[in-house]
């Protein structure tokens, strides 16, 4: 982590009237570094990390406009099929975990459904699926697979879903992008059935990779507005959810896919050089599926039938 200057170390009490931590409500926070030109802060009380101020809506819209173009030649059907198969293998692993806790079939909402690969995996297992997405490319490709009636274009604020409609809600690589965490929680509680299940995959700011790499950690991006650790994710869920599992997330990737992402988004020369190397591998090596942990955590929680304190949950690590 970048060492803060003495001025950056000053606890920011002046913002207490306009800013409160969305997890614990405390107004005290410290600047601990920068993500590109955006100041990175941490809540003094619960250690939630966040960008403050956040990027403007115009800046974020520019990022998301081409967000799913990191993989080159996306318009080629063969490439789309390779990426989709890779991602679905990851998502079937997530669904295996949900099934371990007794969830088979039912209605599923994927918030931030991207290009629809989680929904494809879930539909194969008998779920009735819906998605929400803001990226134009993600909306286009998801609607090609599921139709406009199943893919909402826009935010949760303007959806027309009935209350308590979904048995499962998915936040896979999404929570860190949400600007209003309190609002997101309210939406989830409104849309989820009693005893429904929530699955979250998000970067873990307490992971070994983050501690070793500091502000060079690849998950520090301007579109990632909040950075959780295991303690802060538990606090965000408490009172309304029983935490069932909190563990390292494992994803299936290919070297060529990693290379394309590093070339597109690598913030440092070594990352981009590594990306070029991976991208140049022959297909028999570059398209091999590899299970990796990338400094993220996977969380599964069940909605409590009554308000529940953190002390009643049974987390597994």
């Amino acid at each position: 982590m970048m060492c803060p200057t003495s001025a950056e170390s000053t606890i920011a009490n002046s913002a207490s009237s306009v800013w409160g931590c969305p997890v614990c409500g405390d107004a005290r926070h410290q600047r601990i570094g920068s993500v590109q030109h955006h100041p990175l802060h941490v809540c003094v009380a619960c250690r939630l990390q966040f960008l403050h101020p956040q990027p403007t809506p115009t800046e974020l819209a520019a990022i998301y406009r081409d967000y799913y173009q990191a993989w080159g030649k996306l318009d080629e059907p063969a490439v789309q099929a390779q990426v989709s198969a890779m991602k679905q293998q990851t998502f079937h692993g997530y669904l295996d975990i949900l099934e371990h806790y007794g969830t088979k079939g039912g209605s599923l909402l994927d918030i931030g459904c991207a290009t629809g690969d989680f929904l494809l995996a879930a539909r194969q297992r008998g779920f009735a699926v819906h998605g929400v997405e803001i990226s134009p490319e993600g909306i286009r490709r998801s609607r090609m697979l599921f139709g406009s009636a199943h893919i909402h274009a826009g935010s949760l604020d303007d959806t027309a879903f009935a209350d308590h409609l979904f048995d499962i809600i998915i936040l896979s690589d999404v929570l860190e992008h949400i600007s209003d965490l309190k609002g997101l929680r309210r939406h989830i509680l409104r849309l989820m059935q009693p005893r429904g299940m929530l699955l979250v995959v998000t970067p873990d700011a307490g992971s070994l990779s983050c501690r070793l790499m500091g502000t060079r950690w690849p998950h520090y991006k301007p579109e990632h507005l909040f950075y959780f650790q295991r303690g802060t994710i538990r606090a965000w869920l408490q009172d309304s959810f029983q935490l069932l599992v909190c563990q390292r997330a494992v994803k299936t990737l290919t070297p060529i896919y990693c290379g394309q992402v590093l070339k597109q988004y690598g913030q440092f020369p070594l990352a981009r050089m590594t990306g070029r190397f991976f991208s140049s591998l022959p297909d028999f090596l570059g398209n091999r599926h590899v299970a990796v942990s990338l400094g993220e955590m996977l969380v599964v929680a069940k909605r409590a039938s009554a308000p529940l304190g953190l002390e009643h949950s049974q987390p597994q690590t």
Side-chain angles (χ1 to χ4, degrees), residues 100-266:
H100 176 76
Y101 288 98
T103 301
K104 294 184 179 181
S107 55
L108 180 148
L109 175 65
D110 188 4
I111 299 173
C113 65
T115 53
D117 292 303
F118 200 120
L119 299 179
L120 281 173
R123 187 170 66 179
Q124 292 170 15
R125 297 193 179 211
F127 288 96
V129 298
H130 286 80
V132 176
E133 178 57 39
I134 64 170
S135 163
E137 178 66 10
I139 294 164
R140 182 186 70 83
R141 292 180 57 189
S142 293
R143 285 184 166 177
M144 287 176 61
L145 295 170
F146 301 99
S148 298
H150 289 264
I151 305 298
H152 173 78
S155 70
L156 281 175
D157 293 330
D158 54 7
T159 58
F161 295 128
D163 292 355
H164 311 305
L165 178 62
F166 297 105
D167 299 293
I168 299 175
I169 292 179
I170 305 297
L171 293 170
S172 178
D173 300 327
V174 168
L175 183 61
E176 61 272 19
H177 295 260
I178 301 298
S179 61
D180 181 5
L181 294 179
K182 292 181 179 179
L184 173 64
R185 182 186 167 103
R186 287 193 298 269
H187 281 302
I188 290 171
L189 293 175
R190 180 183 69 81
L191 294 171
M192 181 179 285
Q193 291 191 7
R195 308 299 290 176
M197 301 282 281
L198 176 68
L199 183 143
V200 179
V201 177
T202 192
D204 181 1
S207 65
L208 178 62
S209 62
C210 183
R211 296 197 302 271
L212 291 176
M213 299 180 73
T215 52
R216 294 177 180 265
W217 192 43
H219 292 296
Y220 281 135
K221 304 176 183 179
E223 67 270 30
H224 288 180
L225 309 178
F226 291 97
Y227 303 88
F228 287 80
Q229 301 181 31
R230 296 192 181 195
T232 48
I233 199 75
R234 291 184 179 111
W236 185 67
L237 293 169
Q238 71 176 346
D239 298 332
S240 298
F241 291 90
Q242 178 187 6
L243 186 61
L244 300 177
V245 61
C246 183
Q247 64 185 38
R248 286 187 306 151
V250 176
K251 292 183 174 179
T252 298
L253 300 173
T254 67
I256 288 180
Y257 179 84
C258 292
Q260 292 289 348
V261 172
L262 286 170
K263 285 199 305 181
Q264 181 78 9
Y265 297 114

Side-chain angles (χ1 to χ4, degrees), residues 239 241-243 307-315:
D239 298 332
F241 291 90
Q242 178 187 6
L243 186 61
L308 185 65
L310 183 61
E311 67 277 9
H312 295 108
S313 64
Q314 299 294 325

Side-chain angles (χ1 to χ4, degrees), residues 246-310:
C246 183
Q247 64 185 38
R248 286 187 306 151
V250 176
K251 292 183 174 179
T252 298
L253 300 173
T254 67
I256 288 180
Y257 179 84
C258 292
Q260 292 289 348
V261 172
L262 286 170
K263 285 199 305 181
Q264 181 78 9
Y265 297 114
Q267 299 181 44
F268 304 98
L270 180 59
R272 294 190 290 272
M273 183 173 64
T274 303
R276 289 192 293 271
F277 170 75
F278 282 156
S279 298
S280 67
L281 291 173
D283 284 350
F284 77 94
L285 289 176
N287 286 318
R288 186 182 297 273
H289 286 187
V290 181
V292 296
S293 179
L294 300 172
E296 298 168 298
M297 58 181 160
L298 180 146
V299 175
V300 175
K302 177 181 285 189
R303 183 172 182 178
S305 56
L308 185 65
L310 183 61

